[in-house]
């Protein structure tokens, strides 16, 4: 039986890669490879196992129930060259949204970066501060997030972008002559309030930008679309992703004219991917809000447990209230996990569905209509 070490298609790449023969990923890799398709690189990153060939990259997520994503070469790199204290970081623009590969060795990062180039020619990168030359920085604090927003805005062409300074912003964190931005380094999605506040404070400015680490609620997205506020997602690696049409257009306005058909197709693909990711994220946010509303209804009833007298006539009621309380806690935990960076779109959707199931079960225990 063929395995990674004995198969000529993978034998040169398996040594020291971290891959194990007989694993679900290894079995799927061997079944997916063509007769003459050789693997150039095998690697393992937190949450991912990858196999790079001359024409594609295969990425697996999961341990027992594995899922595979295939990306054709040249790879759609949305961000490259970023470094953390422990290794390099690459961001790939996959069909389901941005995929962040962390803690890569220099050899693996270099090979993947080379696979994102056409005919060995690197993608154009200007000097720091020039339009279209944003270089991601690792985000650890809210100060890092504001500085990343400054760098990104300068890359968009707002050369005079600067941090307003703590306590003096009036709702504005980054200021430029033609644009202002608010930056939120929070784990929770941003609601419509802060976006409306930015629109109100900075109504006279031509361009309004919002950067958030935890995403946005459906209401915030709708308001931003209606009032032309550019929404951006700011990842831990510093990678910035436009999340609505206004942000996509703003990101493309300072880009040079495409030099080739591939460059034009690549730019269109990134814009389409960003729009698709934005639409999917908005759908998930709406589903989360539905579950949260149901949890709130259940919470309003479970608070009764503290007011009920302790006697034999209320034991069943108290038991039902406590069970409902535990179910809503589980539902909230699932919703929180669904926002984690390592989750895929499908994984987030499944977790929200499980949270909805727990919330409905809690409502039924209290005889609430759902």
């Amino acid at each position: 039986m063929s395995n990674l070490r004995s198969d000529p298609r993978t034998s040169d790449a398996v040594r020291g890669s971290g891959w194990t023969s007989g694993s679900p990923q290894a079995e799927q890799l061997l079944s997916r490879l063509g007769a003459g398709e050789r693997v150039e690189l095998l690697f393992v990153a937190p949450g991912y196992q990858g196999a790079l060939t001359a024409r594609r990259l295969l990425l697996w997520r999961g341990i027992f129930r594995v899922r595979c994503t295939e990306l054709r070469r040249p790879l759609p790199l949305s961000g490259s060259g970023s470094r953390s204290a422990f290794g390099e970081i690459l961001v790939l623009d996959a069909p389901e949204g941005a995929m962040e590969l962390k803690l890569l060795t220099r050899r693996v990062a270099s090979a993947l970066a080379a696979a994102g180039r056409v005919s060995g020619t690197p993608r154009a990168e200007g000097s720091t501060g020039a339009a279209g030359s944003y270089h991601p920085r690792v985000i650890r604090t809210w100060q890092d997030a504001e500085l990343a927003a400054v760098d990104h805005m300068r890359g968009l062409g707002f050369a005079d972008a600067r941090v307003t300074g703590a306590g003096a912003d009036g709702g504005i964190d980054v200021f430029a002559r033609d644009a202002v931005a608010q930056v939120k380094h929070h784990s929770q999605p941003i609601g419509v309030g802060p976006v409306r506040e930015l629109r109100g404070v900075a109504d006279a400015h031509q361009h309004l930008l919002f950067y958030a680490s935890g995403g946005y609620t459906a209401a915030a997205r709708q308001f931003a679309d209606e009032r032309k506020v550019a929404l951006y997602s700011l990842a831990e690696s510093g990678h910035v992703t436009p999340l609505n049409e206004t942000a996509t257009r703003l990101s493309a306005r300072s880009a040079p004219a495409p030099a080739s058909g591939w460059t034009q197709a690549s730019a269109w693909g990134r814009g389409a991917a960003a729009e698709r990711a934005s639409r999917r994220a908005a759908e998930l946010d709406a589903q989360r809000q539905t579950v949260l509303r149901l949890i709130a209804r259940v919470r309003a009833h479970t608070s009764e447990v503290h007011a009920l007298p302790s006697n034999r006539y209320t034991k069943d009621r108290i038991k039902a209230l406590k069970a409902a309380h535990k179910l809503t806690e589980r539902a909230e935990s699932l919703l929180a996990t669904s926002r984690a960076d390592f989750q895929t779109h499908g994984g987030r959707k499944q977790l929200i569905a499980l949270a909805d199931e727990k919330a409905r079960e809690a409502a039924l225990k209290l005889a609430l209509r759902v």
Side-chain angles (χ1 to χ4, degrees):
M1 182 177 178
S2 180
N3 59 48
L4 296 179
R5 294 187 180 276
S6 64
D7 196 301
R9 299 171 297 176
T10 57
S11 57
D12 293 339
V14 68
R15 186 182 299 274
S17 66
W19 277 66
T20 304
S21 293
S23 66
Q25 294 89 339
E27 293 176 0
Q28 289 190 23
L29 172 61
L30 293 174
S31 66
R32 286 172 178 269
L33 290 175
E37 188 178 12
R38 297 179 65 88
V39 174
E40 299 177 358
L41 176 73
L42 289 173
F43 66 92
V44 176
Y48 295 95
Q49 283 188 232
L52 180 68
T53 73
R55 60 186 180 88
R56 57 181 173 161
L57 172 67
L58 297 170
L59 285 171
W60 281 269
R61 282 165 289 186
I63 300 176
F64 302 105
R65 186 180 179 182
V66 298
R67 288 167 290 184
C68 182
T69 297
E70 178 178 334
L71 300 173
R72 297 288 177 175
R73 294 179 68 165
L75 301 181
L77 292 177
S78 297
S80 61
S82 303
R83 292 186 180 181
S84 70
F86 306 101
E88 299 197 23
I89 299 170
L90 290 176
V91 181
L92 298 167
D93 191 5
E96 61 267 34
M99 301 174 67
E100 193 172 64
L101 304 182
K102 302 179 181 180
L103 306 184
L104 301 176
T105 65
R106 181 172 296 181
R107 181 178 72 87
V108 172
S110 298
L112 294 177
R117 301 171 185 152
V118 181
S119 303
T121 303
R123 298 189 180 200
E125 291 186 358
S127 59
T128 302
S133 63
Y134 172 66
H135 299 285
R137 64 169 73 212
V138 177
I139 308 298
R140 297 187 180 90
T141 65
W142 62 267
Q143 293 95 333
D144 292 336
E146 290 188 355
L147 292 174
V150 169
D151 291 344
H152 184 258
M153 288 180 64
R154 288 177 179 174
L156 294 176
F158 305 112
D160 60 336
R162 65 186 185 277
V163 175
T164 58
D169 56 8
I172 297 174
D173 297 309
V174 182
F175 176 85
R177 186 183 64 179
D178 296 327
V180 292
Q182 190 166 160
V183 185
K184 295 295 185 184
H185 184 49
H186 297 166
S187 59
Q188 298 297 321
I190 299 300
V192 68
V195 183
R196 184 182 288 116
E197 179 185 359
L198 174 64
R199 175 77 268 183
V201 172
D203 202 53
H205 291 81
Q206 183 177 358
H207 299 287
L208 305 179
L209 298 82
F210 207 114
Y211 297 84
S213 302
Y216 305 87
T217 65
R221 289 174 179 272
Q222 182 178 353
F223 180 84
D225 290 341
E226 293 173 353
R227 304 303 297 272
K228 306 301 181 185
V229 178
L231 299 183
Y232 291 93
S233 170
L234 187 57
E236 181 185 347
S237 64
H239 174 66
V240 177
T241 304
L243 295 183
N244 63 355
E245 184 179 357
T246 303
T248 301
R249 288 179 178 176
L250 186 59
S251 300
R253 75 185 185 106
S254 60
S260 66
W262 177 86
T263 307
Q264 186 175 12
S266 177
W268 180 87
R270 287 195 297 272
E275 184 178 353
R276 181 169 59 249
S278 175
R279 187 167 58 250
R280 286 180 169 185
E283 291 172 356
L284 293 183
D285 280 338
Q287 292 168 9
R288 284 193 191 98
Q289 293 303 316
T290 300
V291 179
L292 286 171
R293 284 193 292 271
L294 180 54
I295 289 174
R297 286 182 60 200
V298 175
R299 288 284 192 214
H301 285 75
T302 56
S303 61
E304 295 177 16
V305 70
H306 303 293
L308 289 171
S310 179
N311 58 53
R312 61 189 180 88
Y313 298 108
T314 60
K315 285 183 178 179
D316 289 341
R317 180 64 175 173
I318 291 174
K319 184 177 179 180
L321 290 169
K322 288 183 176 179
H325 179 73
K326 288 183 178 180
L327 287 166
T328 53
E329 282 188 332
R330 178 57 178 157
E332 288 175 332
S333 175
L334 289 166
L335 288 179
T337 306
S338 74
R339 295 189 177 96
D341 291 340
F342 62 84
Q343 294 290 347
T344 63
H345 175 79
R348 291 187 174 98
K349 193 169 185 178
Q350 185 177 11
L351 287 167
I352 294 170
L354 288 172
D356 181 66
E357 181 181 327
K358 298 297 181 184
R360 287 174 179 272
E361 185 179 349
L364 289 173
K365 285 188 175 296
L366 302 181
L368 295 177
R369 294 184 63 184
V370 296

